[in-house]
Amino acid sequence: MEITTPRGAALVDVDEAERPRFLLVLTHGSAGGVDAPDLLAVRDAAMDRGATVARVTQPFRRAGARAPGSPARQDEAWLAVITELTGRYPGLPLVQGGRSNGARVACRTAKAAGADAVVALAFPLHPPGKPERSRADELRGAGVDVLVVNGDRDPFGVPDAADAARLVVLPGEGHDLKKDPAKAGEVVADWLAARY
């Protein structure tokens, strides 16, 4: 489905559970798409545990841009998508998340979206080689429980366990989490199943 936002149209792929227990809305990183291996693995594993899953291609990617633009504009578009989706699936607890830049968006907007929790895949703690430019405040500022799943070889760094409700570091994984995406899916689905 297409959802109009103040920043252009977003494309949303929805996979509905037969008897949904929660709504999981996921998005991509800056240069990626919603068919990234880890996002698909999370979708599959979460659906097995009762999630209706929406994967959102943000307006900047639909327009062909590789850079997301300002956080304020990206967050504005994201909140428009979330408003539409929660209206279509009323009564379901909302979990939002994404990989890399998408994880940042999910953390920044969690309170405004009314999210119950956030799933942050490959949270980019800092630009590669620039640990002094930490983005840990986005994790700490989410205002809801955040699950972070990162690889131990991620050049964007690994957040501190104290900055999230749960941190899982997958050995041998880089920023793309594609060595064993099913493991990332399992971790997320188990954490969500314990909550819903």
Side-chain angles (χ1 to χ4, degrees), residues 66-152:
R66 289 179 68 83
S70 79
R73 288 178 178 207
Q74 196 176 11
D75 294 355
E76 180 185 28
W78 179 256
L79 289 170
V81 170
I82 293 297
T83 298
E84 178 73 23
L85 287 172
T86 54
R88 287 176 186 249
Y89 299 96
L92 290 180
L94 169 67
V95 178
Q96 61 180 28
R99 65 166 286 99
S100 192
N101 180 67
R104 295 181 64 197
V105 173
C107 287
R108 286 194 309 260
T109 61
K111 282 189 277 195
D116 192 53
V118 169
V119 171
L121 301 168
F123 185 87
L125 183 62
H126 57 71
K130 298 183 179 179
E132 71 281 359
R133 292 182 47 199
S134 175
R135 298 169 178 141
D137 59 331
E138 291 180 350
L139 280 173
R140 291 190 291 263
V144 299
D145 285 349
V146 180
L147 166 66
V148 176
V149 181
N150 270 57
D152 66 351

Side-chain angles (χ1 to χ4, degrees), residues 166-193:
R166 179 158 164 69
L167 169 68
V168 177
V169 181
L170 301 176
E173 288 284 6
H175 191 63
D176 53 17
L177 298 175
K178 70 177 182 182
K179 186 176 174 188
D180 185 6
K183 182 62 181 168
E186 221 176 274
V187 167
V188 172
D190 288 348
W191 188 72
L192 293 172

